């Protein structure tokens, strides 16, 4: 980690402090946690204030260690950096893999070693390493000289402006939104987002004909539901690479399953993803390079309150996608005034009617909106999918309007790749 330090900088404003925070949160996902230790207890720590520190940390403090970089003896994925500050200690915990393997540029890797270690020969920045000797550690970076590290300065008097920055960083660092954002960044780096499959049933063919791929967060074996993270994740650039990975993994799974050759997979795309030329070119290239994906992928445009602003731009992209044999779907039809416009103006192939107009649990389902939407879809020659089917009563309701494609717990619960493959093999009559 580096914090750029120049004596002529005046870092008193909130905006400038925020830049320091963003350097840590966005550029340095290798940071696992930051804590302050006082009287052998944690402060400013995610795991809880006033929690006692482990014995090996206590021992270092009681031995009055000034600063030390070391691998955690009980967690091999963690590297610890502890240093004295005032009457207490700061400890910064790093993800070992991210810290040691992080490559800033093509010249050299980011390297952190204890000052007692021998510096590898052949590195380009010896003059920088000498400047760090008073920290009792060496950090060598392939970035420019201007970007040389100063994590925090000890053995010198910390000026008041730096103390203010530290206070601001600690308060902001543990803000709930910032914590979630950092966790999402790290989860993306660790490939923790995986595809879940929810199959779509055809009452006419009496079998499953496609599946929607849902994003799930597998964090240390615990599956985190999308309601807790998906809206935040969609606001980051990471959602694009995650979606590409979901496409690859889902079709790899489909290739292993006992399934009919026309089975299709649909993936959620936001408006911002659709309008990102470079990202969409990656999607098209992926499809061209993988014949098993061609003619089997559906891009599902999720609801956006402002999507109608970009109708012309979206239209151009969608027509290019159709030339690549990609089917286009619109999600949650009827939940916002904007997509009632987009469904008529854009070249969709499929419309998915939201569960609010179907489920017995919602008052609006007793209105005539389901019939209205079905009529609209049929007039536009769209394939209609009914979402959220959970009961036989709801199934009978959509059957009244000749809606034959159904998605919901009544037919299939979302499942991981292993379970999906097992289902296709244990119930082949439903998938072939």
């Amino acid at each position: 980690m580096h914090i750029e330090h120049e004596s002529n900088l005046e870092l008193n404003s909130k905006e400038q402090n925020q830049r320091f925070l963003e350097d840590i949160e966005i550029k340095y996902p290798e940071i696992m946690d930051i804590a302050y230790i006082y009287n052998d207890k944690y402060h400013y720590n995610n795991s809880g204030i006033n929690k006692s520190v482990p014995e090996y940390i206590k021992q270092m403090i009681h031995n009055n260690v000034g600063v030390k970089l070391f691998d955690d003896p009980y967690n091999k994925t963690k590297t610890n950096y502890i240093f004295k500050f005032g009457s207490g200690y700061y400890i910064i915990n790093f993800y070992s893999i991210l810290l040691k393997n992080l490559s800033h540029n093509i010249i050299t890797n980011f390297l952190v070693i204890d000052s007692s270690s021998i510096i590898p020969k052949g590195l380009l920045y010896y003059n920088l390493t000498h400047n760090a000797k008073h920290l009792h550690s060496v950090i060598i970076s392939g970035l420019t000289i201007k970007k040389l590290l100063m994590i925090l300065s000890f053995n010198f008097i910390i000026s008041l402006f730096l103390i203010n920055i530290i206070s601001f960083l600690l308060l902001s660092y543990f803000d709930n939104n910032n914590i979630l954002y950092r966790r999402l960044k790290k989860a993306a780096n660790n490939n923790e987002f995986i595809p879940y499959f929810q199959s779509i049933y055809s009452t006419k063919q009496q079998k499953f004909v496609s599946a929607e791929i849902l994003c799930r967060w597998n964090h240390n074996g615990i599956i985190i539901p999308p309601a807790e993270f998906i809206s935040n994740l969609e606001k980051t650039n990471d959602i694009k690479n995650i979606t590409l990975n979901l496409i690859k993994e889902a079709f790899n799974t489909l290739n292993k399953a006992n399934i009919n050759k026309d089975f299709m997979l649909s993936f959620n795309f936001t408006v911002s993803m659709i309008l990102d030329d470079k990202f969409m070119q990656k999607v098209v290239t992926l499809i061209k390079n993988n014949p098993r994906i061609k003619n089997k992928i559906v891009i599902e445009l999720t609801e956006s309150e402002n999507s109608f602003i970009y109708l012309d731009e979206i239209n151009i992209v969608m027509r290019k996608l159709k030339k690549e044999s990609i089917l286009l779907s619109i999600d949650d039809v009827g939940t916002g005034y904007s997509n009632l416009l987009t469904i008529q103006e854009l070249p969709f192939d499929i419309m998915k009617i939201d569960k609010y107009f179907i489920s017995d649990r919602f008052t609006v389902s007793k209105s005539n909106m389901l019939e209205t939407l079905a009529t609209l879809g049929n007039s536009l020659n769209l394939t209609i999918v009914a979402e959220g089917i959970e009961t036989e009563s709801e199934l009978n309701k959509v059957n009244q309007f000749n809606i034959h494609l159904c998605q919901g717990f009544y037919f299939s619960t979302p499942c991981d790749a292993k379970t999906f493959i097992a289902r296709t093999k244990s119930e082949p009559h439903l998938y072939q």
Side-chain angles (χ1 to χ4, degrees), residues 283-313:
V283 173
V284 171
T285 300
L286 175 64
I287 295 170
K288 287 182 175 179
N289 292 339
N290 294 273
R292 70 180 185 276
I293 297 178
K294 193 174 179 66
N295 299 313
K296 292 185 180 181
I297 185 170
V298 179
I299 287 180
E300 192 169 310
L301 188 64
T302 56
E303 168 69 16
S304 171
E305 292 181 1
N306 296 317
S307 61
F308 64 93
I309 297 175
Y310 306 104
L311 281 179
D312 291 339
E313 294 90 338

Side-chain angles (χ1 to χ4, degrees), residues 2-30:
H2 341 274
I3 294 181
E4 184 174 335
H5 179 199
E6 294 182 16
S7 59
N8 61 343
L9 288 177
E10 296 182 0
L11 303 172
N12 296 322
S13 72
K14 182 177 180 180
E15 292 78 10
Q16 289 170 314
N17 288 342
Q18 186 65 35
R19 285 205 301 274
F20 273 80
L21 178 63
E22 290 173 353
D23 275 346
I24 293 176
E25 293 176 349
I26 298 174
K27 295 182 181 178
Y28 309 108
E30 62 271 15

Side-chain angles (χ1 to χ4, degrees), residues 29 43 74 105 127 134 192 202 226 230 246 323-324 328 334-335 369 385 388 408:
H43 296 266
Y74 299 104
N105 59 25
N127 57 323
H134 67 282
E192 295 179 10
S202 168
I230 198 68
L246 291 178
K323 291 180 180 179
E324 301 297 335
L328 303 168
T335 59
M369 273 300 295
V385 179

Side-chain angles (χ1 to χ4, degrees), residues 52-63:
S52 295
V53 301
E55 286 299 322
Y56 68 93
I57 297 292
K58 287 183 183 178
Q59 190 64 41
M60 289 184 190
I61 293 173
H62 295 166
N63 289 340

Side-chain angles (χ1 to χ4, degrees), residues 361-394:
R361 295 182 289 119
F362 302 105
T363 302
V364 71
S365 69
K366 297 178 176 61
S367 69
N368 64 349
M369 273 300 295
L370 176 58
E371 180 179 6
T372 300
L373 293 172
T375 301
L376 174 62
N378 287 326
S379 69
L380 296 171
N381 294 317
L382 298 176
T383 298
I384 302 174
V385 179
E387 295 185 295
I389 305 295
E390 298 180 359
T391 66
E392 187 173 356
S393 170
E394 294 165 2

Side-chain angles (χ1 to χ4, degrees), residues 376-430:
L376 174 62
N378 287 326
S379 69
L380 296 171
N381 294 317
L382 298 176
T383 298
I384 302 174
V385 179
E387 295 185 295
I389 305 295
E390 298 180 359
T391 66
E392 187 173 356
S393 170
E394 294 165 2
L395 175 60
N396 292 334
K397 186 184 300 183
V398 299
N399 282 339
Q400 293 177 31
F401 304 110
N402 294 317
I403 300 174
H404 305 297
L405 296 178
C406 302
Q407 179 178 353
F409 289 2
Y410 183 80
F411 294 101
S412 173
T413 55
C415 63
D416 61 15
K418 183 178 179 180
T419 304
F420 177 74
I421 292 173
R423 286 179 182 178
T424 67
K425 294 183 177 179
S426 65
E427 301 177 305
H429 63 288
L430 293 178

Side-chain angles (χ1 to χ4, degrees), residues 194-212:
I194 61 173
Y196 260 50
F197 298 71
Q198 186 170 31
S199 298
I200 296 173
Y201 188 79
S202 168
T203 56
K204 181 180 287 186
Q205 300 181 53
Q206 296 189 339
K207 67 178 182 180
F208 292 110
V209 295
S210 65
E212 179 180 356

Side-chain angles (χ1 to χ4, degrees), residues 96-354:
S96 298
I97 293 177
L98 293 181
L99 179 66
K100 295 175 181 178
N101 294 341
L102 181 64
S103 178
H104 285 293
N105 59 25
I106 62 173
I107 299 176
T108 185
N109 287 332
F110 180 78
L111 179 65
V112 182
I113 59 176
D114 194 273
S115 61
S116 60
S117 303
I118 299 174
I119 300 173
K121 294 182 178 181
L123 296 173
L124 303 178
Y125 297 100
Y126 279 98
N127 57 323
L128 304 190
T129 65
H130 294 316
N131 292 337
K133 285 301 181 69
H134 67 282
L135 302 182
H136 301 283
S137 66
V138 178
I139 300 180
I140 306 166
S141 173
L143 297 176
T144 61
I145 293 179
K146 182 180 177 182
K147 294 290 186 178
L148 175 64
L149 85 115
M150 264 315 254
I151 295 178
L152 290 169
S153 179
F154 11 77
N155 297 345
F156 295 100
I157 297 175
I158 305 298
S159 63
L160 181 60
F161 83 87
L162 185 54
I163 294 175
N164 289 334
I165 291 172
I166 294 170
S167 300
F168 171 80
L169 289 178
L170 288 171
L171 290 173
S172 300
Y173 188 86
F174 296 104
D175 174 80
N176 287 337
N177 288 334
N178 288 330
I179 290 173
L180 177 58
Y181 184 73
R182 291 196 305 275
R183 289 181 65 200
L184 291 174
K185 290 287 294 182
K186 292 166 187 173
N189 284 336
N190 293 336
N191 295 319
E192 295 179 10
F193 297 103
I194 61 173
Y196 260 50
F197 298 71
Q198 186 170 31
S199 298
I200 296 173
Y201 188 79
S202 168
T203 56
K204 181 180 287 186
Q205 300 181 53
Q206 296 189 339
K207 67 178 182 180
F208 292 110
V209 295
S210 65
E212 179 180 356
I213 301 304
L214 308 169
C215 181
R216 292 293 186 268
W217 183 0
N218 183 359
H219 182 63
N220 295 329
I222 299 173
I223 302 300
I224 301 175
E228 297 186 22
F229 70 89
I230 198 68
S231 60
N232 294 82
L233 185 62
E234 286 180 345
K235 296 174 184 176
T236 71
N237 279 327
D238 290 316
I239 188 62
K240 296 165 186 174
N241 283 332
I242 289 170
T243 299
L244 282 174
N245 288 335
L246 291 178
I247 294 173
K248 295 174 185 177
E249 291 183 30
F251 275 101
N252 283 337
T253 297
L254 194 65
N255 197 44
K256 300 173 185 175
N258 186 26
I259 210 158
N260 77 78
K261 62 181 178 62
D262 297 320
F263 198 91
M264 304 191 74
L265 299 179
S266 66
F267 301 84
N268 293 313
F269 279 56
T270 64
V271 170
S272 62
M273 291 163 68
I274 289 284
L275 295 179
D276 185 329
D277 292 338
K278 291 183 179 179
F279 169 67
M280 293 309 299
Q281 186 55 52
K282 289 181 181 179
V283 173
V284 171
T285 300
L286 175 64
I287 295 170
K288 287 182 175 179
N289 292 339
N290 294 273
R292 70 180 185 276
I293 297 178
K294 193 174 179 66
N295 299 313
K296 292 185 180 181
I297 185 170
V298 179
I299 287 180
E300 192 169 310
L301 188 64
T302 56
E303 168 69 16
S304 171
E305 292 181 1
N306 296 317
S307 61
F308 64 93
I309 297 175
Y310 306 104
L311 281 179
D312 291 339
E313 294 90 338
I314 296 173
N315 201 337
I316 292 171
V317 177
M318 291 177 71
R319 294 195 180 280
K320 290 179 180 178
L321 295 175
K322 290 176 76 71
K323 291 180 180 179
E324 301 297 335
S325 302
I326 299 171
L327 292 181
L328 303 168
S329 173
I330 183 166
D331 192 23
D332 300 335
V333 170
T335 59
Y337 69 91
S338 61
N339 66 19
L340 291 178
L341 172 63
T342 58
I343 198 173
Q344 299 177 71
E345 297 296 326
L346 297 176
F348 289 106
D349 303 289
I350 303 165
M351 64 177 280
K352 301 182 76 172
I353 298 179
D354 193 87

